[in-house]
Amino acid sequence: MGPEKGSARRRRVAVTSPTVGPTADPPAFNLLARTGHPVFIDFPWDRPLSEWDDDRLVDYAKGVSRHVVRFVAAEGRAYALKETSLDLARREYRLLRWLAEENLPAVEGVGVVSERRTRTGKALPSVLITRHLEFSLPYRVLFAGRGVPDVRSRLIDALAVLLVRLHLAGFFWGDCSLSNVLFRRDAGALLAYLVDAETGEQRPDVLSDGQRRHDLVIATENVAGELLDLGAAKRLPSDVDPLETADDLERRYTDLWAELTSPEVIPRGERNRLEARTRRLNELGFDVEEYEVSPAGDGNEVRIVARVLEEGHHSRRLAALTGLRVQENQARRLLNDIAGFGAWLSRTEGREYPEAVVAYRWMSEVYEPALDRMPEQLRRKLADAELFHEILEHRWFLSEQRGVDVDTMDAVDDYVAVELMERTDELRILPLPDDPVT
């Protein structure tokens, strides 16, 4: 969807400042931005981003970019500003809006600043404004050792899932790379978010096999090159082979695509095979919208093709039960804890409760009290759902260590004292000492 639709959700501001001197042209700019965000009209748009010294500038770790990118804080939120051409800025803004409508993991497009001029009348590049993804980690930070076990495997899994989801939606990326992705923790796994759609294309139909293969080749070449660069800078673990990792990305993408889209031939009447396929796709986190069934072979078999709706099976279910909007693996973990809490209620109170009642009591008696028990300055280090996942992990560890079931609140206290105090605040990850500066 482009800016032409949904005009109630955007604003356009043309600003001309007073003339500074007798020979100076008045600086001006044009702002197209979504509502629900700061107005952005009081930033120094008449200066190149590289020359800004505004006190609202903040530092965040970021991927390597060929553009000048700066971060600003406004009204309690952080935003990325990227200098680029007007055509590319408008195009990327439109694509990011479409990705959001399709519920695909990407940063939020906020606006475009165009027609920028210095106070002497010199034209300046346009600026794309996106909202910074809170609690996100660039790949360079992950490999620097931020507490993610088997980071190579989890990173490649996340990137493969992202590329498959984009291709299922008919999106050709054109520049899939680790630098164009941010990662969030997701209950022991990682979830990848697209942060640069500059080369992307929204196709009206399903991507052809050739288009998908081309995008995958670009991805594997980029990943290999980025990891080789990281290795040359002595920032890559010795057990990570860049070329093997790139090959692994191709294998995992191919396997997941086949699982989601390949037809399956089963004997007539074996409905359990169809149900098993649905459960298998649900376990991968994908919902099935419909099945296409047609005769196969001698007529005693049928050919089944699943029409995959989108990833997010567990997160949608959790949202319906609790109102919590979290990532897929986090949702799976929280749903398991709700189920365990329901079983405990049945044993201790001698009756079965509807799932909605169990979920409500779990929220009010377990989830919210556990998070509220944490000191506020420590709680902000991780997203709430990720914090609760780590509390559950810590509770299990303590129970194994002590040989008895440990109360959740006791686990919270021990987790805060033993682990959380030493954790990095991931709401805002600062650049590493030798990261490139733009």
Side-chain angles (χ1 to χ4, degrees):
M1 175 183 124
E4 292 78 11
K5 296 174 67 177
S7 57
R9 298 293 311 282
R10 63 175 186 162
R11 57 176 176 263
R12 185 183 292 275
V13 181
V15 178
T16 301
S17 301
T19 301
V20 175
T23 61
D25 290 330
F29 64 89
N30 184 285
L31 170 67
L32 171 68
R34 300 195 68 185
T35 56
H37 297 278
V39 181
F40 293 106
I41 60 174
D42 59 342
F43 283 86
W45 298 118
D46 59 340
R47 299 173 60 190
L49 291 185
S50 60
E51 297 179 5
W52 280 21
D53 58 2
D54 194 280
D55 59 9
R56 289 165 293 185
L57 285 171
V58 291
D59 282 331
Y60 281 93
K62 60 179 180 289
V64 178
S65 175
R66 58 182 172 272
H67 300 283
V68 176
V69 179
R70 306 295 298 272
F71 295 95
V72 296
E75 298 181 9
R77 289 167 285 181
Y79 295 86
L81 312 179
K82 180 174 78 172
E83 282 188 338
T84 185
S85 70
L86 177 57
D87 288 344
L88 289 178
R90 285 176 172 169
R91 186 169 179 276
E92 187 167 4
Y93 174 69
R94 183 179 69 250
L95 286 171
L96 290 174
R97 292 287 304 273
W98 176 80
L99 289 168
E101 288 184 348
E102 294 296 312
N103 198 32
L104 291 164
V107 294
E108 180 183 0
V110 174
V112 174
V113 182
S114 59
E115 301 175 23
R116 300 170 63 218
R117 298 196 306 272
T118 67
R119 291 182 180 271
T120 58
K122 180 182 177 182
L124 293 172
S126 295
V127 174
L128 173 70
I129 306 172
T130 58
R131 184 170 178 184
H132 176 65
L133 189 65
E134 293 180 342
F135 301 106
S136 60
L137 302 162
Y139 78 99
R140 295 165 65 88
V141 171
L142 285 169
F143 278 117
R146 296 285 188 180
V148 178
D150 193 14
V151 61
R152 171 195 174 278
S153 178
R154 285 165 169 74
L155 183 144
I156 292 303
D157 280 343
L159 191 57
V161 170
L162 174 60
L163 195 56
V164 166
R165 290 186 66 184
L166 293 173
H167 288 173
L168 286 171
F171 183 83
F172 177 84
W173 196 341
D175 193 19
C176 174
S177 68
L178 295 173
S179 294
N180 289 336
V181 171
L182 285 172
F183 297 89
R184 273 178 168 171
R185 295 181 189 273
D186 187 14
L190 293 171
L191 182 63
Y193 287 77
L194 179 150
V195 297
D196 192 323
E198 183 175 289
T199 57
E201 295 180 37
Q202 174 194 353
R203 300 293 174 90
D205 302 314
V206 176
L207 294 182
S208 69
D209 289 343
Q211 290 166 337
R212 290 192 305 104
R213 282 195 295 269
H214 181 50
D215 222 9
L216 185 56
V217 167
I218 293 172
T220 55
E221 290 179 350
N222 283 342
V223 167
E226 288 166 321
L227 294 184
L228 285 168
D229 288 344
L230 211 57
K234 302 188 185 308
R235 295 268 293 276
L236 191 68
S238 58
D239 61 343
V240 176
D241 183 290
L243 300 183
E244 279 187 13
T245 301
D247 289 342
D248 202 21
L249 171 62
E250 181 177 3
R251 284 192 296 271
R252 297 190 192 196
Y253 170 94
T254 302
D255 290 346
L256 180 58
W257 183 267
E259 181 66 47
L260 295 176
T261 64
S262 294
E264 186 172 356
V265 177
I266 64 173
R268 284 181 181 273
E270 291 194 11
R271 288 179 52 191
N272 62 306
R273 295 274 295 275
L274 183 59
E275 293 167 356
R277 178 76 187 276
T278 301
R279 285 196 301 271
R280 197 161 67 245
L281 293 176
N282 289 163
E283 277 302 305
L284 289 171
F286 290 83
D287 275 334
V288 178
E289 184 177 28
E290 61 186 11
Y291 280 102
E292 179 183 325
V293 182
S294 57
D298 58 4
N300 292 319
E301 296 177 321
V302 292
R303 181 177 181 270
I304 297 174
V305 179
R307 304 298 182 194
V308 175
L309 181 59
E310 61 178 329
E311 191 191 35
H313 171 79
H314 299 93
S315 57
R316 282 188 290 275
R317 182 165 166 246
L318 181 71
L321 281 172
T322 66
L324 294 174
R325 301 198 175 276
V326 304
Q327 296 167 163
E328 183 64 10
N329 284 325
Q330 292 168 347
R332 183 186 284 110
R333 187 68 194 275
L334 299 189
L335 286 169
N336 286 340
D337 199 56
I338 291 172
F341 179 71
W344 178 82
L345 285 179
S346 297
R347 291 195 307 272
T348 57
E349 300 186 6
R351 57 173 294 189
E352 297 283 340
Y353 290 99
E355 187 178 39
V357 174
V358 172
Y360 173 80
R361 289 191 58 180
W362 175 84
M363 283 284 292
S364 60
E365 298 176 26
V366 180
Y367 183 77
E368 291 173 344
L371 294 175
D372 289 343
R373 195 176 180 89
M374 296 185 177
E376 183 61 33
Q377 71 273 19
L378 298 180
R379 178 174 171 175
R380 68 187 295 274
K381 287 188 173 186
L382 293 171
D384 282 352
E386 191 66 23
L387 268 178
F388 192 78
H389 157 72
E390 295 205 355
I391 291 168
L392 295 180
E393 289 284 288
H394 197 73
R395 185 182 69 186
W396 175 87
F397 171 78
L398 290 178
S399 298
E400 288 289 302
Q401 186 183 59
R402 299 174 184 178
V404 296
D405 285 340
V406 173
D407 179 75
T408 299
M409 299 308 151
D410 291 339
V412 171
D413 293 341
D414 195 77
Y415 170 74
V416 169
V418 174
E419 293 193 30
L420 191 57
M421 292 284 290
E422 304 301 321
R423 288 293 294 270
T424 301
D425 184 348
E426 293 186 4
L427 179 61
R428 181 183 172 194
I429 293 293
L430 296 175
L432 295 167
D434 55 346
D435 270 352
V437 177
T438 57

